[in-house]
Amino acid sequence: MSVLPLRIYAPLNTLLAAIGLVAVATLTMPNMSGRSRLALTAVLAVIWGAYLLQMAETLLKRRAGDLRDRTPAIAIDVLAVLVPLAAFLLDGTPDRSLYCAVWLLKPLRDSTFFPVLGRVLANEARNLIGVTTLFGVVLFGVALAAYVIERDIQPEKFGSIPQAMWWAVVTLSTTGYGDAIPQSFDGRVLAGAVMMCGIGIFALWAGILASGFYQEIRREDFVRNWQLVAGVPLFQKLGPAALVEIVRALRPRNLPAGAVICRSGETGDRMFFVVEGRVSVVMPNPVELGPGAFFGEMALISGEPRMATVSAATAVSLLSLHAADFQMLCSSSPEIAEIIRKTALERRGAAPTA
């Protein structure tokens, strides 16, 4: 429960920040009437008041021990209030509204992206530092070469290594502002080589980050799936190696109440395990299945079309197992395969066979 009457959730945080920043940008327009300025300043004051309440709630929750590892959120909340307040109290110029630009940080306070980014940067730090070092070496080497080649031709643009380094940065990044262009043949050959090097270096940076994000997302998915699988009693008999394989094979699905999961007569290519919620099986005698139950196995065992329509009776969390992975599970865990087969036969009204 919120400590204060007003609670600002993540989407509202972003909306308020966007409105505030638009107001800040609009206030920089010349020839604006005093009435318009007053109205926009009032908008900023209302947003500041909302952020003041949010800061108070955050600090009260921190004091009550309800927050864990929320230091960035607290820092952002405090800055969003104190920086504009100090500006309006101490700065008498029209530019004091610019300090509200600190609200750019507000959409970040509840973002899950930046913790992931931090872990990726930490995990890939060695590779990123290596590529950055390579960039620095190439940058200085290119600037030195450009200085030697072009200094007598264009002393005003390549008359020193720092001047040449600006050209090297622009060329390595393939930006090419055009304010400094090699005139000699050797200089142009150098420029072409530098552009190719720049593409390669930035591709390395992008590849390292992309690989890091992929690995981090896979780790998060694995942990989440492991927790979901642990909630299915059928899999609690699996050994660690088999459990790892099944975790990799299962795919989580979250569906709202009323959503159709599979329809009668369809060709089935997967079965489902219920982790949370309940599903309704439409049959002459409808039944509901809850956490730990599974369905859809008949289509995988016999190859027949699905015999019933199954829909979500409540919001439901499922794990799906594809046919090929089902065969793998049957091979690696015969006891689980036998339980699934017996359940399938019982549901058909036949006596299970050994």
Side-chain angles (χ1 to χ4, degrees):
M1 181 178 292
S2 178
V3 177
L4 296 175
L6 172 66
R7 184 168 189 180
I8 302 179
Y9 294 92
L12 183 56
N13 246 330
T14 302
L15 178 62
L16 289 176
I19 294 172
L21 293 172
V22 169
V24 169
T26 306
L27 282 169
T28 62
M29 297 175 63
N31 303 322
M32 181 176 291
S33 66
R35 189 173 181 178
S36 298
R37 288 186 177 278
L38 183 61
L40 290 173
T41 303
V43 169
L44 295 179
V46 170
I47 296 173
W48 181 87
Y51 285 156
L52 176 63
L53 289 176
Q54 185 179 40
M55 182 189 73
E57 181 190 47
T58 302
L59 294 177
L60 287 172
K61 290 178 71 175
R62 175 63 178 264
R63 185 176 180 182
D66 293 336
L67 292 179
R68 296 183 180 89
D69 194 26
R70 296 288 288 166
T71 301
I74 295 171
I76 289 173
D77 287 349
V78 171
L79 287 173
V81 171
L82 295 187
V83 171
L85 177 62
F88 274 81
L89 291 178
L90 303 177
D91 188 351
T93 67
D95 288 338
R96 60 187 180 180
S97 62
L98 295 178
Y99 290 92
C100 292
V102 72
W103 294 343
L104 279 168
L105 299 174
K106 271 295 184 176
L108 309 183
R109 76 183 296 278
D110 301 305
S111 173
T112 59
F113 168 76
F114 290 95
V116 173
L117 176 61
R119 291 194 294 272
V120 170
L121 293 177
N123 294 336
E124 302 295 336
R126 180 178 297 180
N127 293 330
L128 290 172
I129 290 172
V131 176
T132 304
T133 302
L134 174 63
F135 179 82
V137 170
V138 173
L139 176 65
F140 190 87
V142 167
L144 176 62
Y147 165 71
V148 171
I149 294 172
E150 294 288 327
R151 60 182 173 178
D152 295 330
I153 302 173
Q154 301 183 78
E156 71 284 357
K157 295 180 179 178
F158 294 90
S160 66
I161 290 179
Q163 284 180 299
M165 196 169 288
W166 164 249
W167 172 83
V169 169
V170 170
T171 308
L172 269 173
S173 63
T174 66
T175 304
Y177 284 123
D179 56 339
I181 303 174
Q183 299 297 322
S184 66
F185 175 78
D186 292 343
R188 293 185 177 185
V189 170
L190 175 66
V194 171
M195 292 177 194
M196 295 300 103
C197 288
I199 292 172
I201 290 173
F202 280 94
L204 284 174
W205 267 322
I208 290 169
L209 289 175
S211 175
F213 272 107
Y214 175 73
Q215 295 297 333
E216 184 62 29
I217 291 171
R218 282 199 63 184
R219 276 192 288 269
E220 289 185 351
D221 288 344
F222 184 86
V223 171
R224 183 177 64 252
N225 287 357
W226 185 285
Q227 293 171 342
L228 293 175
V229 168
V232 179
L234 184 64
F235 295 137
Q236 292 175 357
K237 299 178 181 179
L238 291 175
L243 195 57
V244 168
E245 292 300 321
I246 199 65
V247 166
R248 290 174 176 168
L250 290 168
R251 296 291 177 266
R253 290 184 64 185
N254 296 307
L255 298 172
V260 176
I261 302 167
C262 57
R263 297 182 185 276
S264 176
E266 289 181 341
T267 301
D269 63 349
R270 67 196 64 203
M271 65 178 296
F272 301 90
F273 300 87
V274 182
V275 179
E276 294 179 352
R278 303 189 68 81
V279 299
S280 176
V281 183
V282 180
M283 302 173 64
N285 296 315
V287 297
E288 283 195 358
L289 303 176
F294 56 87
F295 60 92
E297 74 288 345
M298 189 69 69
L300 302 187
I301 294 173
S302 65
E304 299 174 357
R306 296 203 184 275
M307 301 174 61
T309 296
V310 182
S311 59
T314 65
V316 66
S317 177
L318 303 172
L319 292 170
S320 65
L321 183 67
H322 197 272
D325 297 316
F326 173 74
Q327 298 302 325
M328 178 273 295
L329 175 64
C330 292
S331 300
S332 61
S333 304
E335 67 280 5
I336 290 181
E338 185 62 21
I339 293 173
I340 293 175
R341 288 193 179 95
K342 285 183 177 180
T343 303
L345 290 172
E346 289 170 0
R347 287 175 178 173
R348 294 188 66 175
T353 58

